[in-house]
Amino acid sequence: MKKILSLLFSFVFLGLVGCASSGTQKPTVIAESQQIKKTIIEKVPNTNPDWIAKTSFIKDGKRFVVGFAEGFTNLQASRTAAGNFAKTRFAQQIKDTFTAETASAIESGLYSDDTGGYVREVFYSSIDKLQVDGIMLEENYSEQIQEQDGSSNKIYWRSYCLASIPEAKYKEVVNRAFDETENQIKKEKQAKQNESAKQLVEKLKEKFDNN
């Protein structure tokens, strides 16, 4: 009888300990292979925001992008790197859209590869010269990762940063880049290349205005 009571007491005690510890963050295995195992051991804040699965989106008159950084042992350094990367993504987004639209224009047969390459080069140079104003760093989310590779073990932070810019500001940057591109092309000495490039820039600007 004493043994039975002792066993019952042990089970009750273990159950209470389990309940008391349920409020703490539990490690979550996120990647595992024969060589490497990655586990999230801490989240800041404790809840995953829905925006970390996105690269960009538009909401309430703002354009949002998500920056990312990992490998830092210091939380603040990780978040700073993610924020800096997010700031560069607005300009990169403009470049990516411009590249896609230029490729589409070339495929139509109206413009040559040389003209498209030349216009793209001038536009990229114009974007790189511009200061993108009005960027706000809205939110941060970070995960502390434990990475085990055989006998090797390292801990580092992975951070995400949500950044925004008013859509009007974004379009202002685009327009300034097109203006600079047009001014640069006007200086081109080859008349035929110049005329074709100007027509392509006008077509691409119209595409951006309608997006």
Side-chain angles (χ1 to χ4, degrees):
M1 185 68 180
K2 288 182 179 181
K3 288 184 178 180
I4 293 172
L5 289 173
S6 178
L7 284 169
L8 287 172
F9 177 77
S10 297
F11 284 128
V12 171
F13 178 75
L14 289 171
L16 290 172
V17 170
C19 292
S21 62
S22 63
T24 61
Q25 293 187 23
K26 295 180 180 179
T28 304
V29 177
I30 56 174
E32 188 171 8
S33 66
Q34 290 183 346
Q35 292 79 29
I36 301 174
K37 179 181 179 181
K38 293 183 180 181
T39 306
I40 299 174
I41 56 178
E42 185 178 358
K43 296 179 180 181
V44 183
N46 194 25
T47 305
N48 295 31
D50 59 358
W51 50 262
I52 65 170
K54 303 175 182 178
T55 54
S56 66
F57 59 95
I58 299 173
K59 182 180 179 182
D60 299 331
K62 292 182 180 181
R63 186 175 291 261
F64 293 85
V65 296
V66 178
F68 169 84
E70 74 170 35
F72 294 84
T73 56
N74 179 272
L75 173 59
Q76 190 54 52
S78 178
R79 290 189 162 189
T80 298
N84 289 339
F85 179 53
K87 291 176 184 178
T88 68
R89 296 202 68 177
F90 290 106
Q92 188 59 50
Q93 194 174 75
I94 296 171
K95 287 181 180 180
D96 291 344
T97 303
F98 189 91
T99 298
E101 294 294 348
T102 302
S104 178
I106 292 171
E107 287 174 4
S108 71
L110 297 175
Y111 305 95
S112 68
D113 288 339
D114 288 343
T115 298
Y118 167 67
V119 170
R120 185 167 54 245
E121 182 180 334
V122 176
F123 186 84
Y124 278 18
S125 176
S126 300
I127 281 287
D128 291 339
K129 292 175 185 175
L130 295 177
Q131 178 71 35
V132 182
D133 299 320
I135 296 175
M136 295 290 294
L137 302 182
E138 302 272 358
E139 293 182 48
N140 288 293
Y141 169 74
S142 300
E143 298 170 340
Q144 192 175 40
I145 309 294
Q146 181 181 45
E147 184 176 305
Q148 295 171 294
D149 184 0
S151 60
S152 174
N153 181 64
K154 61 181 178 180
I155 296 175
Y156 56 85
W157 286 97
R158 171 186 295 164
S159 291
Y160 302 82
C161 178
L162 179 67
S164 72
I165 187 172
E167 186 66 8
K169 278 282 186 182
Y170 181 83
K171 290 184 176 181
E172 180 185 309
V173 173
V174 172
N175 289 331
R176 282 162 55 200
F178 271 108
D179 290 344
E180 178 63 28
T181 300
E182 288 174 331
N183 291 333
Q184 185 63 36
I185 289 173
K186 286 177 183 177
K187 300 175 184 177
E188 177 62 50
K189 295 179 181 179
Q190 299 178 25
K192 187 175 181 180
Q193 172 87 336
N194 179 280
E195 190 59 35
S196 180
K198 283 194 294 185
Q199 290 175 4
L200 177 54
V201 170
E202 289 172 5
K203 179 180 177 66
L204 294 172
K205 187 174 182 179
E206 184 179 339
K207 284 275 189 179
F208 267 85
D209 288 342
N210 292 333
N211 286 339

